[in-house]
Each structure stands twice: as structure tokens, then as C-alpha cells.
Amino acid sequence: MHIGVPKEIKNHEYRVALTPGGVRELVARGHRVRVQAEAGIGSGYPDDAYREAGADIVADVDALWASAELILKVKEPQAEEVARLRPEQTLFTYLHLAAEETLTRGLIDSGATCIAYETVTDDLGGLPLLAPMSRVAGRMAVQAGAHSLEKAQGGAGILLPGVPGVAPAKVTVIGGGVVGENAARMALGLGAEVTILDKSLPRLEVLDHRYQGRIRTVYSTTETLEAAVRESDMIIGAVLVPGAAAPKLITRAMLGEMKPGSVLVDVAIDQGGCFETSKPTTHAEPSYMVDGIVHYCVANMPGAVARTSTQALTNATLPFVIALADKGWKQALADDAHFRAGLNVHAGQVTYTAVGEAFGLEVVATEQILQG
Ligand SMILES: NC(=O)C1=CN([C@@H]2O[C@H](COP(=O)(O)OP(=O)(O)OC[C@H]3O[C@@H](n4cnc5c(N)ncnc54)[C@H](O)[C@@H]3O)[C@@H](O)[C@H]2O)C=CC1
Ligand SMILES: CC(=O)C(=O)O
Ligand SMILES: [Mg+2]
């Protein structure tokens, strides 16, 4: 199969969809991989590393997109990329469609087969292609939040661990999944006082057992959220309803109850954000103030640590990429119900229920498409 790996064009996005090691696996199976010139530079992989792995380096972006049957990316396609997609192509990348109606309609109009990393599932009830980046973003959330607490960033001027005789900061994480647990671990390691709120009691039980009382677990209700808002110096938003827009858990009115200079880090921003006042930001200008509260809402946090993230992403995606390349999208999805959950749009139709519901669009079952 002809596989194309374009250079990412989103603001400060330095990841690339395949490492040279990933290319080597595909080439060894008889596939042709074309990588856009300098696509790997931001992740520390020069063009020569891809050449040595067996890829062709293509400088002409039009030619790269035109020749590919399978396009591998990291971030959701930007407008100029959507315009390049054709019906016979398969796109495999993060999509986050429930947060982006224009993108959803663009992909429908393209006629292409669009498979989202973030809705592929596994036997354990997890999201194996979201998890590696959630681990990265969760760990980064505390770094970003700690920086945002500094006065120069508009923060209250609080050091997370405090010092002897001065209390540590209070960090609340809403959503104790992959992002949430990784954020909580980092905050704990830095000496903060950490609370996790979640709606899943089984999940809170796992966390309670794992951290043996070093992290407080609290069932998430309006009452406990309001208490968190009043008490916390930093709140990390890490909820997810897979494939759907994030619920707005902290309203603008609630900001008035927060201590001035407190920090909101909305990791769930790629699904629209879980704070009413969140709007997506970039690494170029990551934070802004609303009512005296610092908001950090970068939608591609792992892009800033691209070397780590690109390796972690390829480790997770490669088996699925190999299945697509070896069998074609139809057989690969037919053979694997978990992979099937990744299909969001095909031939002008939405196939993912939460995306259809978000925009009032008809949803066609993937199984029906596979039978056709
Ligand atoms: N901004 C960025 O760069 C990145 C953002 N993300 C995003 O972070 C978010 C979280 O991802 P994961 O941790 O992997 O998801 P996950 O599925 O592992 O965890 C989500 C948790 O939220 C909980 N939850 C759902 N609704 C809730 C509610 N109303 N109140 C309290 N808890 C609730 C669930 O029970 C679950 O434990 C996703 O939107 C994901 O796309 C992930 C990676 C990078
Ligand atoms: C998950 C996601 O959106 C990211 O890694 O950028
Ligand atoms: Mg996005």
C-alpha cells in the first residue's frame, strides 16, 4: 500500500505520525512509505533516518497527498489538509470531531474514510491510542499549571510544594482516568495536596487502593465541585465521555468563588473543554485570564515534548497501521471490533454516534457499511 506521512502544520506541533522504526516495519512488509521532507525534524528524526528506514522523502506536499492511499497524521486535519482529501483515501489520526462541526462537515464532504485514534477501544474498556498522549498531557498538566501559578503568568504566586512552615498548594483533578491519574501522580510527586473527583466509583476505588490515602478521592457532584472550586489553587480538567463533547463542569459564575490567581488547566479542551470559560490556545500563547483566573487550554499539549510523544504514539498506533496497510480499511475493521470503533466518517456519512448527536447528523452503523 502507498502510505503518506505529511509534516504536521498545526501551531507548534512538532510530532510526526511515524518514527523511522515504524517506517522500517511497514517497508519490510512490502509497503511504500512516503514521508514529507522535514516531517520528523521536530521530533529529532532527520530525513536521512527515514531514508535509511526505507522511506521516500517527498518535498512536494501536493504530490505526497495525491499519491497516498493511507494518510497517517497526528493532529486533526487543518482546513488546507481537508481540502486535499479524496474519497478513495483513508485518514488515520486524532479527529476530536464532536468539538469541531466545520471539520466534521469537511470530512463528510471529502468522501474519505476517516478513522480516529481517540475512539479505538480495547478489551479493558480503555482507549489505547488516546492513552499514550493522555499520559504525556497528564504529566505536562502539572508542569504547565505550576508555571501558571507564578506571578508573571497572572498566577497567585504559589509554589506547589510550599516550604517548611508554609502549606503546599491544593490541586484538584476532575476526571481520574489516564490524564487525571498521571496529573495526580506528578502533583503528588511535587508535594502538592491532591484530590481527584470522578463520577465512576470503581475508578475511585482503583485510585484509592493504588495511592493508599496519599491522594483524596471524592465522588463528583455539584456540591463537591463547588467545594473544589472554593478550595483549590489549581484545577485540572481531565474528564472524557468518549467521542463526545466534554460536559461543562465549572461555569463562569463559579469562577467568582475561586481564589484570585488560581489556575484552571483544561486538558479536555480537545473535546471542547470542561470549563465554560475555556477556549483552545496554542503553545505560542498558552494561557489567558478570565475574572482573575489563569486558564491554560492548549489542545495539543504533547506536541511540545515531541520526541517522547512521537515514540509513544508510534508504539501504540503501529499494530493498527500495519493492519490497515496489510488488509485495507474494510478488512482491518471487519476483523477487529475495537478498531471498528475508530471509524468516525466514511463516504460522506457519520458512523460515530456521539459525533452525529453533537450536530444532529444521521449516523450509519459501521457494521452496515462493512456489509455493503
Ligand atoms: N489537550 C491535550 O493535549 C490532550 C487532551 N487529552 C484529552 O484529555 C481528556 C481525558 O482523556 P483520558 O484521561 O484519556 O480519558 P479517560 O477516559 O481515561 O478518563 C476520563 C475520566 O473522566 C471521568 N468522567 C467522565 N465524566 C465525568 C464527569 N462528569 N465528572 C467527573 N468525571 C467524569 C470518567 O469516569 C473517566 O475516569 C480527553 O478529552 C482527551 O482527549 C488527551 C491527550 C492530550
Ligand atoms: C490527544 C490529542 O489531541 C493530542 O495528543 O494532541
Ligand atoms: Mg483540536
Side-chain angles (χ1 to χ4, degrees):
M1 182 174 284
H2 284 235
I3 301 166
V5 181
K7 184 173 166 62
E8 294 295 314
I9 58 175
K10 190 171 172 130
N11 182 289
H12 284 269
E13 181 52 72
Y14 301 102
R15 285 171 290 179
V16 59
L18 266 187
T19 59
V23 168
R24 196 167 152 186
E25 300 292 327
L26 290 161
V27 170
R29 303 175 84 87
H31 302 296
R32 179 150 183 215
V33 185
R34 305 181 93 201
V35 177
Q36 191 178 335
E38 302 202 337
I41 287 289
S43 297
Y45 298 119
D47 290 349
D48 277 348
Y50 286 100
R51 278 196 195 93
E52 281 163 24
D56 297 322
I57 298 296
V58 180
D60 180 351
V61 59
D62 293 327
L64 180 102
W65 279 79
S67 66
E69 297 162 88
L70 170 62
I71 302 270
L72 301 178
K73 275 183 46 60
V74 179
K75 287 313 289 181
E76 68 278 358
Q78 309 296 294
E80 67 182 83
E81 295 175 318
V82 175
R84 294 179 188 281
L85 273 172
R86 299 190 319 273
E88 59 277 18
Q89 289 178 318
T90 300
L91 171 69
F92 192 32
T93 189
Y94 287 117
L95 290 174
H96 305 295
L97 293 185
E100 293 250 19
E101 183 165 1
T102 308
L103 174 60
T104 303
R105 292 189 185 276
L107 294 186
I108 290 170
D109 292 345
S110 77
T113 299
C114 305
I115 307 172
Y117 293 154
E118 75 274 8
T119 62
V120 173
T121 53
D122 67 18
D123 280 337
L124 303 170
L127 302 166
L129 304 192
L130 181 62
M133 296 305 96
S134 290
R135 292 186 191 108
V136 172
R139 290 172 188 212
M140 282 183 74
V142 175
Q143 285 178 204
H147 183 60
S148 302
L149 271 173
E150 292 175 10
K151 287 303 286 185
Q153 313 307 319
I158 291 176
L159 183 66
L160 273 192
V163 289
V166 180
K170 291 192 167 137
V171 175
T172 297
V173 180
I174 310 177
V178 181
V179 167
E181 182 178 3
N182 279 276
R185 265 183 62 184
M186 289 289 284
L188 189 67
L190 284 172
E193 207 181 297
V194 185
T195 302
I196 296 182
L197 268 62
D198 202 298
K199 271 200 152 348
S200 160
L201 279 180
R203 184 61 189 162
L204 291 178
E205 194 176 337
V206 166
L207 293 168
D208 179 65
H209 187 72
R210 212 169 268 171
Y211 295 94
Q212 296 287 311
R214 287 177 296 140
I215 292 174
R216 287 172 66 219
T217 59
V218 174
Y219 187 68
S220 183
T221 61
T222 305
E223 187 182 30
T224 55
L225 275 169
E226 282 175 357
V229 160
R230 280 194 306 274
E231 293 162 9
S232 305
D233 302 297
M234 183 196 303
I235 299 182
I236 296 173
V239 300
L240 176 65
V241 179
K248 303 289 178 213
L249 299 176
I250 296 185
T251 62
R252 179 155 193 174
M254 289 164 84
L255 297 191
E257 299 294 313
M258 293 188 81
K259 293 178 271 184
S262 298
V263 171
L264 294 178
V265 178
D266 200 344
V267 185
I269 190 65
D270 56 355
Q271 294 290 149
C274 60
F275 310 133
E276 188 186 355
T277 42
S278 296
K279 58 175 198 249
T281 58
T282 65
H283 288 291
E285 227 171 304
S287 63
Y288 61 93
M289 305 292 293
V290 178
D291 299 343
I293 306 301
V294 189
H295 290 57
Y296 177 101
C297 306
V298 175
N300 60 333
M301 294 172 69
V305 288
R307 181 80 177 175
T308 303
S309 299
T310 289
Q311 292 176 37
L313 185 61
T314 297
N315 289 347
T317 57
L318 191 59
F320 295 89
V321 172
I322 287 173
L324 283 176
D326 283 358
K327 305 178 187 178
W329 69 270
K330 208 166 185 177
Q331 195 59 49
L333 299 190
D335 287 352
D336 181 349
H338 289 305
F339 200 2
R340 208 142 66 227
L343 189 68
N344 275 231
V345 174
H346 168 72
Q349 290 173 308
V350 173
T351 55
Y352 200 86
T353 304
V355 174
E357 281 172 3
F359 308 122
L361 295 166
E362 190 196 340
V363 177
V364 178
T366 300
E367 286 71 14
Q368 194 180 321
I369 285 168
L370 294 177
Q371 280 158 15

